[in-house]
Amino acid sequence: MKHKILFIFYTIIILSIVGSCSSNPYKVSDKSYKEQLKGYKETISNTEPAKLETSVATILPAAQLPIDPLVLYKDTLSIKAPKALLNGISTEWISSVNFNLRKPNFIILHHTAQDSLAQTLRTFTITKPQVSAHYVIADDGKVVQMVNDYLRAWHGGNSIWGKNTDINSSSIGIELDNNGFEPFSDKQIISLLALLTKLKKDYNIPIQNIIGHSDIAPSRKTDPSRLFPWKLLALNGFGIWPDEILEPAPVNFNAEQALRIIGYNTKNLSSAIAAFKLHYIQTEVDSVLDEKTINTIYNIFSHSLKMN
């Protein structure tokens, strides 16, 4: 009798274990997934303001202004549960324990082509335009964050850089409040330098991957304008700038191939040349492939090869 009772007892234990495993055999990975997700949620939903600051080594615009370059912003995100499909097929969630957050690898700079911060914020907060950016920097230096760094904002549109045909999925978009015809303010550039300092440190973004909208969409866009201080950014370690004295390009140098290796889409070569000159020459924004342009392409091409 005693053996029979023990047999029944152990049978019940075994059946209970089998039953629990069959109902949720992934209970352990589910728990690990939830714990890991909780940690990431805390990372991307930080409600404490983050401080942007320039370093003592930052090279500021020529006009030194008595302003505080520190800017505060908040970074928030709401996580929602997945929805079931409506096609009659049953769905199942099995938690993997192998994942992490996406890391942006590019920073794309824009000007808003609008006349005020308020106008840009309205554009980015209504559905119809289908456009957004991670950050907007006002003329007075104020920084507004509109999309979490880990999420995909809609700022690049149909764009290409090298073999990357979906720039929005791997980049952070920064819009500068500027209509495209006026200089960028010193306050604005100081805040941009502070923001770039933080983003570069947070995500280890290569300096050659800090580029303009016109670089990734040469046939469609001309922002930021020729008035944008790319040289100042490069002096601070954000982007590349040609040497003061240009080494002549070799006789057999292929400028179109070099532009492609740098990252430009040369399907429309004239547009690619104009976009390159908008960024790196600025005083001559046209599609003429003259000696100065060829030597500048060779210079940037050489710098790019050294960094890759």
Side-chain angles (χ1 to χ4, degrees), residues 5-286:
I5 293 173
L6 286 173
F7 174 78
I8 295 173
F9 175 77
Y10 287 125
T11 301
I12 292 172
I13 294 293
I14 293 171
L15 290 175
S16 298
I17 294 172
V18 172
S20 63
C21 290
S22 62
S23 61
N24 187 5
Y26 304 103
K27 188 174 182 179
V28 174
S29 68
D30 277 349
K31 181 180 179 182
S32 176
Y33 179 90
K34 289 176 182 178
E35 290 175 352
Q36 193 171 343
L37 188 63
K38 182 180 178 182
Y40 286 136
K41 182 177 180 180
E42 292 174 357
T43 299
I44 60 181
S45 301
N46 178 20
T47 56
E48 292 297 319
K51 184 174 287 187
L52 304 181
E53 56 186 337
T54 53
S55 71
V56 293
T58 299
I59 302 172
L60 299 176
Q64 297 285 337
L65 298 178
I67 67 168
D68 182 358
L70 305 183
V71 183
L72 299 180
Y73 68 91
K74 288 189 176 182
D75 190 4
T76 60
L77 175 71
S78 175
I79 298 176
K80 299 180 180 179
K83 295 182 179 179
L85 300 178
L86 301 176
N87 58 2
I89 305 282
S90 60
T91 62
E92 184 179 9
W93 175 271
I94 298 175
S95 304
S96 173
V97 296
N98 306 309
F99 68 99
N100 57 11
L101 295 174
R102 298 176 188 267
K103 185 184 81 68
N105 195 45
F106 291 87
I107 295 176
I108 310 300
L109 302 179
H110 310 251
H111 68 240
T112 60
Q114 296 186 317
D115 294 319
S116 69
L117 175 64
Q119 187 179 359
T120 299
L121 296 183
R122 170 163 174 74
T123 300
F124 288 176
T125 52
I126 57 177
T127 304
K128 188 175 181 180
Q130 298 285 286
V131 64
S132 61
H134 293 86
Y135 300 90
V136 181
I137 304 180
D139 188 64
D140 65 1
K142 179 180 179 181
V143 175
V144 178
Q145 182 168 18
M146 305 197 72
V147 178
N148 186 278
D149 291 349
Y150 295 102
L151 299 181
R152 184 180 186 274
W154 302 347
H155 60 95
N158 183 15
S159 54
I160 296 174
W161 189 250
K163 295 181 179 180
N164 192 328
T165 58
D166 185 9
I167 301 296
N168 282 345
S169 291
S170 58
S171 67
I172 290 175
I174 302 176
E175 291 271 1
L176 298 161
D177 178 23
N178 184 289
N179 61 16
F181 302 103
E182 58 189 23
F184 296 83
S185 75
D186 287 340
K187 292 181 180 181
Q188 196 172 42
I189 298 304
I190 289 172
S191 289
L192 174 62
L193 290 172
L195 178 57
L196 291 175
T197 299
K198 179 183 185 300
L199 295 176
K200 182 181 175 184
K201 179 181 178 181
D202 286 350
Y203 306 114
N204 194 28
I205 294 175
I207 66 171
Q208 67 270 31
N209 287 0
I210 299 173
I211 50 181
H213 199 184
S214 58
D215 295 314
I216 63 173
S219 298
R220 299 187 300 111
K221 295 296 181 177
T222 59
D223 62 302
S225 73
R226 69 171 73 191
L227 299 174
F228 185 74
W230 285 111
K231 182 178 181 180
L232 179 64
L233 262 65
L235 288 173
N236 284 283
F238 308 118
I240 309 174
W241 190 253
D243 298 328
E244 292 295 329
I245 300 177
L246 297 174
E247 179 184 350
V251 176
N252 61 346
F253 177 66
N254 187 323
E256 179 181 0
Q257 185 180 47
L259 283 172
R260 285 202 306 271
I261 293 172
I262 292 169
Y264 287 92
N265 177 10
T266 60
K267 187 174 182 179
N268 184 329
L269 182 58
S270 295
S271 295
I273 294 170
F276 177 88
K277 297 176 82 167
L278 177 64
H279 188 140
Y280 295 105
I281 298 179
Q282 296 189 311
T283 55
E284 305 166 14
V285 182
D286 53 43

